[in-house]
Amino acid sequence: MDAITGDDTVLAGFAAQDPYAKVVGDAVSDEPYGVGIPADQPDMVRFVNGVLEDMIAGGQWEESYDRWLGDALGPAPAAPSPVYGRTP
């Protein structure tokens, strides 16, 4: 196989396991991850977003990105902003 396309984190995993694999080129699309929380649990949303905000502010988000994805994907992009509420 000469090439595949996929999610950046999956591709980074391939590159970490296979010395011949490498992530190249620009992203085909932007597909952010999210945490699914039931709509009737707004306190849980605030808690999860608070933990993520603390990780971003304390530098742990970038450290984790660099540790697990940085070798394959390069420097960490800007951290995502928390989202509250749902949009259709």
Side-chain angles (χ1 to χ4, degrees), residues 42-84:
D43 289 341
M44 177 67 97
V45 173
R46 283 189 287 279
F47 173 78
V48 170
N49 280 344
V51 169
L52 294 173
E53 288 171 338
D54 288 347
M55 288 180 68
I56 292 166
Q60 293 95 339
W61 183 87
E62 188 170 353
E63 290 172 9
S64 181
Y65 183 97
D66 289 343
R67 177 178 179 191
W68 298 108
L69 303 173
D71 286 347
L73 303 179
S81 298
V83 175
Y84 293 88

Side-chain angles (χ1 to χ4, degrees), residues 4-68:
I4 62 169
T5 185
D7 178 280
D8 282 351
T9 55
V10 172
L11 296 175
F14 288 155
Q17 295 175 41
D18 182 347
Y20 298 105
K22 108 168 88 159
V23 180
V24 299
D26 295 329
V28 174
S29 65
D30 183 25
E31 304 291 335
Y33 284 99
V35 177
I37 299 172
D40 64 348
Q41 299 291 321
D43 289 341
M44 177 67 97
V45 173
R46 283 189 287 279
F47 173 78
V48 170
N49 280 344
V51 169
L52 294 173
E53 288 171 338
D54 288 347
M55 288 180 68
I56 292 166
Q60 293 95 339
W61 183 87
E62 188 170 353
E63 290 172 9
S64 181
Y65 183 97
D66 289 343
R67 177 178 179 191
W68 298 108

